[in-house]
Amino acid sequence: MNFENLIYEVDDQLAIITINRPKKLNALNKETIQELHDAFAEADSDPNIGVIILTGSGEKAFVAGADISEFSDFEEEQGALLARKGQKLLFDFIENLSTPVVAAINGFALGGGLELAMAAHIRIASDNARMGLPETSLGLIPGYGGTQRLPQLVGKGRAFEMIMTASMINADQALQYGLVNHVTMQEELMSHAEKLAAKILDNSGVAIATAITAVNAGFKAGVNGYDVEIEGFGASFGTEDFKEGTSAFLEKRKAEFPGK
């Protein structure tokens, strides 16, 4: 599959998706959102891919925000439709993907860019990264899940402060807040992400996909996350990965998970 605004690479069990609009600081437009959906869908459907790393091209930005020129003249219904379609097509799609997604934040992650990173399962930031939701400075609110995912990650008070002040925080603050899992030097960002991916790949992809479903269930209204966990735990006993994992443990050898 060919992309205009992305670079899609596969290295053994790892897929790397790089947003490639450096002149626009990798800002999200409709075409890029669609391409990201297609790239994630392709990686998730490939049984050989066990982890996806998402990053931005260049050294300045992961994603500096949405392309404001596309919606500056929108009216109410158009704005609501933009958010609804974007959330379903990309942000919710990534969050619920069965393949783990690691966001390697290599610079500015603002507005839709931070919302994109928050949709990933794990976030790593370079030491030059800056993050924020500046929408209120434009007379807007975050529309791609930012008002929901940010409080889940950093708490209600800090989320209110970041949204109300439209301020950026640096990588160390993001680490302190729990917004990112790790901070590393920029030149080591991708190698750090790949090392983390390698640790994930040592484990059962089937179990990880089930765990993603169970963890996400706890944040959905009207869903009992404990029940989802119990069902997923029980279902694990019927997998070949469970048989291989327990056999390898008892035989004191490294498991070779079949992914079934």
Side-chain angles (χ1 to χ4, degrees):
M1 187 177 291
N2 295 320
F3 300 103
E4 291 293 326
N5 299 313
L6 306 178
I7 300 171
Y8 183 86
E9 302 168 287
V10 174
D11 182 8
D12 195 16
Q13 294 177 278
L14 179 65
I16 301 174
I17 299 172
T18 305
I19 302 167
N20 189 34
R21 300 185 74 209
K23 293 182 179 179
K24 295 285 188 178
L25 295 179
N26 302 322
L28 296 177
N29 59 4
K30 291 179 183 178
E31 183 180 10
T32 305
I33 287 175
Q34 181 64 57
E35 287 192 358
L36 281 166
H37 169 87
D38 294 342
F40 276 104
E42 180 173 335
D44 193 49
S45 66
D46 186 340
N48 296 316
I49 299 298
V51 179
I52 302 167
I53 295 176
L54 173 66
T55 193
S57 64
E59 298 180 350
K60 292 183 178 180
F62 172 72
V63 173
D67 195 330
I68 296 171
S69 63
E70 283 195 337
F71 57 80
S72 60
D73 61 348
F74 274 17
E75 296 183 357
E76 293 176 29
E77 290 185 5
Q78 292 171 295
L81 182 61
L82 178 73
R84 185 174 293 109
K85 288 180 65 177
Q87 286 191 28
K88 181 178 180 181
L89 186 66
L90 183 59
F91 299 83
D92 292 349
F93 183 73
I94 291 174
E95 182 178 69
N96 294 297
L97 213 65
S98 60
T99 307
V101 179
V102 178
I105 305 170
N106 57 306
F108 290 110
L110 304 175
L114 181 55
E115 289 172 305
L116 182 61
M118 290 192 293
H121 303 114
I122 298 172
R123 284 155 295 283
I124 301 172
S126 58
D127 52 10
N128 69 315
R130 297 293 183 271
M131 287 157 259
L133 295 176
E135 284 88 348
T136 58
S137 69
L138 301 172
L140 292 170
I141 69 167
Y144 287 142
T147 64
Q148 305 304 300
R149 293 190 180 96
L150 186 61
Q152 291 172 7
L153 291 167
V154 308
K156 189 176 180 180
R158 281 178 171 152
F160 268 138
E161 182 177 350
M162 288 179 66
I163 292 168
M164 290 177 180
T165 64
S167 299
M168 289 187 291
I169 61 172
N170 61 32
D172 288 336
Q173 286 175 291
L175 181 63
Q176 179 189 350
Y177 285 8
L179 184 54
V180 300
N181 298 65
H182 304 279
V183 173
T184 183
M185 291 186 291
Q186 187 173 39
E187 59 269 25
E188 297 177 358
L189 178 64
M190 289 305 293
S191 63
H192 190 103
E194 289 169 7
K195 287 176 184 177
L196 178 60
K199 290 182 179 180
I200 295 171
L201 289 167
D202 281 340
N203 303 308
S204 164
V206 175
I208 288 170
T210 304
I212 289 171
T213 299
V215 171
N216 285 340
F219 293 95
K220 293 180 179 178
V223 177
N224 188 319
Y226 293 99
D227 286 343
V228 175
E229 179 185 281
I230 290 166
E231 291 170 6
F233 180 76
S236 298
F237 284 78
T239 67
E240 293 182 27
D241 276 12
F242 167 73
K243 294 179 177 65
E244 167 60 13
T246 51
S247 296
F249 177 81
L250 294 171
E251 295 166 11
K252 298 181 180 180
R253 60 176 174 81
K254 180 178 171 60
E256 297 292 338
F257 292 109
K260 300 178 182 177

